[in-house]
Amino acid sequence: LALMTDWHDWQDTRVDGERLWNRIVALGEIGAIAGPNGELGCARLALTDADREGRDLVTGWMRDLGLTVTIDAIGNVVATRPGTDPRAAAVMTGSHIDTVATGGRFDGNLGVLAGLEVIETLETLDIATRRPVSVAFFTDEEGARFAPDMLGSLVYVGGMALEEALDIAATDDDARLGDELVRIGYAGPFPCPAAAAPHAYVELHIEQGPILEDEGVTIGVVEGVQGISWTELAITGRSAHAGTTPMRLRRDPGFVAAAITTFVRGLTKQLAGAQVATVGRIDVRPNLVNVVPATATITVDLRNTDEATLVVAERALDAEVARLAEAESVSVTSRSLARFEPVEFDPVTVALVEATAQRLGYSTRRLPSGAGHDAQMLARVCPTAMIFTPSVDGLSHNIAEHTTPEDVTAGANVLLQTLLQLADVAD
Ligand code: HGY
Ligand code: MN
Ligand code: MN
């Protein structure tokens, strides 16, 4: 094995962009959704059969590379290439391969497959690193079927007890997370939280927003992740006849759901800055044209880079819900589905990503992440940073999600070069 003695050699190594792109296409075919204008998205909600198929394909590639593949009790998969120092903690990369129902081929998948490509490049060029290098995919990053999001990595770092996570019921149906994990054959033997923390964690991900594209920048140097607050509001009124019931007698949860949706939009204008708000789910029952609804269940997703402002937004929402409940004589049950504070990544590792991208000749720009990522959980246990590549039209969580092959290759090259430095840095 050619040890990494000649400083110059390893700096010239690059990934095989075509091999990486072919894997992105192949994985994207599992749960593929074709759009009317040639869009190619995919739907692999966590722990569904499609997720199992994706897991089987990726773990097959990991095993083909001769990697040691471990599966833990929440279904996180970690594939490791040994280093020359068996005692050294691994440098880890990875992301997720579960998607939302209208997902793209890049969200999460890029980070996992680029990690695999980095390892295949080391194998192909016969490069040894002192530290082991591992690539992981974490269970249920999206949180779309089982809340909260970043669930697998949260359990991996000890942020939620395994038993609590296994008992989570799906938001839509009543499937129990632990049962689904067994059903798809990914309830693994390795313990959660993980026995040892990685030496460092770097995740490649698409930006999923418009900043890099708008500024014509190739590499996003991510400084942290904004805070996330997901609340489910179950509103109960009284169904009634749409024609005969006078307005003064109505207890209309549909009206309250709409009023809250409008209120949180107003909140983003009032708080301005980084505040964003989304009512992504509205489930009105019985959902009939001539029936004043009996119930309405909605979710509110509030995010902000500043924790204090996010708390102000949450409190304003609570006060408005109470006001509307009183005015419309409905009852509201509120349930928190996810709550994570903003996370700052390790400045030294962030600077390493930036210097590496610039050394490779790519334009860079520092920015916070608007989306949640597994990196925000790994940041609790080791120095962590992220690399962003541009998203065409800033689109994600949409089957039209796209990143160009050139940008995919650029991101993977920055990941390769960053991991090589971390995997060989003497303690
Ligand atoms: O919701 C998020 O930010 C991520 O896609 N789970
Ligand atoms: Mn993602
Ligand atoms: Mn996502």
Side-chain angles (χ1 to χ4, degrees):
L1 288 176
L3 268 180
M4 299 238 315
T5 49
D6 180 339
W7 183 259
H8 184 72
D9 282 357
W10 72 265
Q11 288 195 320
D12 296 338
T13 56
R14 297 292 182 269
V15 298
D16 179 335
E18 192 179 348
R19 181 170 61 196
L20 170 53
W21 187 263
N22 290 339
R23 285 212 171 101
I24 290 171
V25 170
L27 180 54
E29 280 159 13
I30 298 177
I33 312 173
N37 307 309
E39 307 90 339
L40 257 183
C42 60
R44 291 198 304 274
L45 284 167
L47 309 185
T48 58
D49 289 343
D51 186 21
R52 175 182 46 75
E53 269 187 73
R55 286 167 169 261
D56 291 350
L57 179 62
V58 175
T59 50
W61 286 333
M62 291 169 163
R63 292 191 174 100
D64 292 348
L65 279 174
L67 304 181
T68 306
V69 179
T70 62
I71 303 173
D72 73 17
I74 198 71
N76 297 318
V77 173
V78 181
T80 303
R81 178 179 190 258
T84 56
D85 176 353
R87 293 179 326 284
V91 171
M92 180 181 274
T93 187
S95 193
H96 61 96
I97 59 172
D98 66 299
T99 74
V100 293
T102 55
R105 297 181 291 167
F106 302 88
D107 177 358
N109 303 311
L110 170 63
V112 177
L113 298 181
L116 201 62
E117 171 56 32
V118 164
I119 288 178
E120 182 153 6
T121 300
L122 300 186
E123 283 293 294
T124 310
L125 301 180
D126 210 2
I127 292 175
T129 55
R130 186 172 68 79
R131 295 183 176 283
V133 176
S134 60
V135 56
F137 61 79
F138 297 99
T139 295
D140 186 35
E141 187 279 343
E142 290 295 355
R145 184 177 178 217
F146 296 99
D149 53 350
M150 288 75 72
L151 180 75
S153 47
L154 178 67
V155 175
Y156 186 80
V157 300
M160 179 188 282
L162 172 66
E163 293 67 28
E164 182 187 347
L166 294 175
D167 278 340
I168 290 173
T171 309
D172 250 346
D173 49 58
D174 281 338
R176 178 177 168 276
L177 190 148
D179 299 345
E180 284 292 273
L181 203 54
V182 170
R183 187 181 69 80
I184 67 166
Y186 276 88
F190 278 73
C192 289
H199 169 70
Y201 178 81
V202 179
E203 179 171 350
L204 172 64
H205 203 288
I206 54 173
E207 178 204 334
Q208 302 182 286
I211 297 171
L212 294 178
E213 183 183 62
D214 286 353
E215 298 181 5
V217 170
T218 304
I219 297 294
V221 178
V222 189
E223 295 186 294
V225 179
Q226 68 177 340
I228 296 178
S229 164
W230 288 0
T231 305
E232 179 188 77
L233 297 171
I235 309 161
T236 305
R238 182 181 60 188
S239 70
H241 193 293
T244 58
T245 312
M247 297 316 287
R248 61 184 169 80
L249 293 184
R250 296 186 182 209
R251 296 165 49 194
D252 183 350
F255 163 73
V256 172
I260 291 168
T261 304
T262 308
F263 174 78
V264 295
R265 174 60 67 95
L267 211 46
T268 63
K269 296 204 178 351
Q270 187 191 335
L271 294 173
Q275 187 60 49
V276 291
T278 312
V279 173
R281 290 174 61 95
I282 299 182
D283 181 15
V284 176
R285 302 288 166 93
N287 207 27
L288 298 171
V289 62
N290 58 354
V291 180
V292 176
T295 62
T297 302
I298 68 173
T299 56
V300 181
D301 177 328
L302 298 172
R303 307 198 195 194
N304 200 305
T305 50
D306 176 69
E307 172 64 13
T309 311
L310 185 53
V311 171
V312 166
E314 288 177 315
R315 290 194 181 138
L317 171 63
D318 290 347
E320 179 65 5
V321 168
R323 188 190 69 75
L324 284 164
E326 171 69 28
E328 190 69 16
S329 303
V330 298
S331 68
V332 183
T333 307
S334 171
R335 179 163 74 104
S336 172
L337 296 178
R339 182 60 168 95
F340 299 119
E341 295 195 4
V343 166
E344 294 298 314
F345 289 143
D346 168 56
V348 172
T349 313
V350 171
L352 179 68
V353 166
E354 187 173 53
T356 302
Q358 290 172 354
R359 172 168 58 81
L360 270 60
Y362 298 123
S363 51
T364 66
R365 191 249 207 234
R366 287 177 173 238
L367 74 171
S369 174
H373 297 290
D374 294 310
Q376 77 190 83
M377 301 307 169
L378 272 291
R380 299 186 186 190
V381 298
C382 69
T384 294
M386 290 187 76
I387 306 161
F388 273 177
T389 55
S391 290
V392 172
D393 297 334
L395 262 186
S396 183
H397 287 191
N398 179 309
I399 63 169
E401 174 186 283
H402 189 70
T403 294
T404 65
E406 296 73 29
D407 287 342
V408 161
T409 301
N413 279 326
V414 176
L415 182 67
L416 167 68
Q417 291 287 317
T418 302
L419 294 178
L420 278 171
Q421 293 170 82
L422 289 168
D424 198 58
V425 174
D427 271 336

